[in-house]
Amino acid sequence: MNELYNDVSEIMITKERLDEICAELGKRISSDYKGKQLMLVGVMKGGLIFLSDLLRKITIPVEFGTITASSYGKGTSSSGQVTILQDLDMDIAGKDVIIVEDLIDSGHTLRYLQEFLGLRNPNSVKICCMLDKPSRREKQVKVDYIGQEIPDKFVVGYGMDFEEKYRNLADVCVLKKEFYE
Ligand code: IMP
Ligand code: MG
């Protein structure tokens, strides 16, 4: 274990389990989207690792793009105000889009992105999230593919950060409270 693990109180989901979850989701998506024009849209930066793992578990033709959104200030909860920092650079008209996100918390980000992309005449826009914190929801959002539900704890790793750090932890970990309280 590397030094990043000194800052965490718990390993919540191991990299082996994350890999299994990606395999299950990739299998479901490959079967659900057979014959369709599938495009994954990864939400940066948190969704980067999940996007890259999920892509390689999909066994049908697939395109991908990225979009960068921010609803966070510097703390550990959503501001509710979603901003597009960098837009998708691909045409999604007629495509079957799946938004790929690390975690759904309040739901503000995904609600906004689903509406935002929905305006560009895609055939469909669904959502795939590795993690779901249902107890924190403020906006109702239908998440079509969920990796795992988790309790209300602030997690880092597998793409997710605290003040831009810890994204490179391979497991999903709980950050020690002393860092943000
Ligand atoms: P929202 O509150 O559903 O809009 O979530 C917005 C984004 O906040 C998520 O996509 C994550 O990138 C980030 N986020 C929410 N909870 C956590 C967490 O526990 N750790 C790290 N990032 C989080
Ligand atoms: Mg995110």
Side-chain angles (χ1 to χ4, degrees):
M1 283 208 191
N2 61 55
E3 66 184 79
L4 295 170
Y5 286 90
N6 297 336
D7 297 353
V8 310
S9 55
E10 181 194 330
I11 295 179
M12 187 185 272
I13 311 175
T14 63
K15 55 181 179 297
E16 290 80 15
R17 181 66 194 133
L18 291 164
D19 187 65
E20 283 173 11
I21 294 171
C22 285
E24 288 160 17
L25 291 171
K27 198 173 166 191
R28 275 179 59 200
I29 290 171
S30 301
S31 128
D32 292 353
Y33 284 80
K34 209 169 170 50
K36 302 207 164 168
Q37 287 195 285
L38 176 59
M39 179 176 317
L40 302 189
V41 176
V43 186
M44 297 297 107
K45 298 176 219 171
L48 172 69
I49 311 286
F50 181 35
L51 172 70
S52 113
D53 281 350
L54 183 63
L55 267 173
R56 288 172 292 169
K57 303 290 188 190
I58 291 177
T59 54
I60 59 169
V62 58
E63 295 175 48
F64 83 91
T66 62
I67 193 165
T68 306
S70 171
S71 74
Y72 267 41
K74 279 202 160 172
T76 59
S77 68
S78 172
S79 66
Q81 186 75 33
V82 183
T83 319
I84 301 295
L85 301 176
Q86 190 162 358
D87 199 351
L88 182 68
D89 63 0
M90 294 166 89
D91 185 12
I92 58 169
K95 301 273 167 77
D96 288 288
V97 172
I98 303 180
I99 303 173
V100 178
E101 171 69 306
D102 51 4
L103 190 155
I104 179 164
D105 189 50
S106 69
H108 287 287
T109 307
L110 281 169
R111 164 68 77 88
Y112 182 87
L113 287 177
Q114 194 168 36
E115 285 174 7
F116 182 76
L117 295 175
L119 296 172
R120 297 178 180 173
N121 299 314
N123 192 46
S124 62
V125 184
K126 295 205 170 179
I127 294 175
C128 177
C129 257
M130 174 50 88
L131 303 176
D132 181 9
K133 283 188 202 171
S135 62
R136 301 255 305 178
R137 203 76 86 249
E138 292 171 15
K139 287 264 185 196
Q140 281 318 306
V141 183
K142 180 167 182 262
V143 184
D144 306 276
Y145 301 94
I146 295 174
Q148 188 162 314
E149 280 191 12
I150 62 167
D152 182 12
K153 290 181 179 180
F154 192 78
V155 291
V156 291
Y158 199 66
M160 290 171 287
D161 73 306
F162 174 66
E163 294 182 347
E164 294 298 331
K165 291 197 287 284
Y166 306 105
R167 294 191 194 276
N168 55 326
L169 272 168
D171 309 287
V172 172
C173 299
V174 180
L175 186 65
K176 282 183 180 166
K177 283 209 167 125
E178 65 203 58
F179 287 93
Y180 58 90
E181 276 189 353

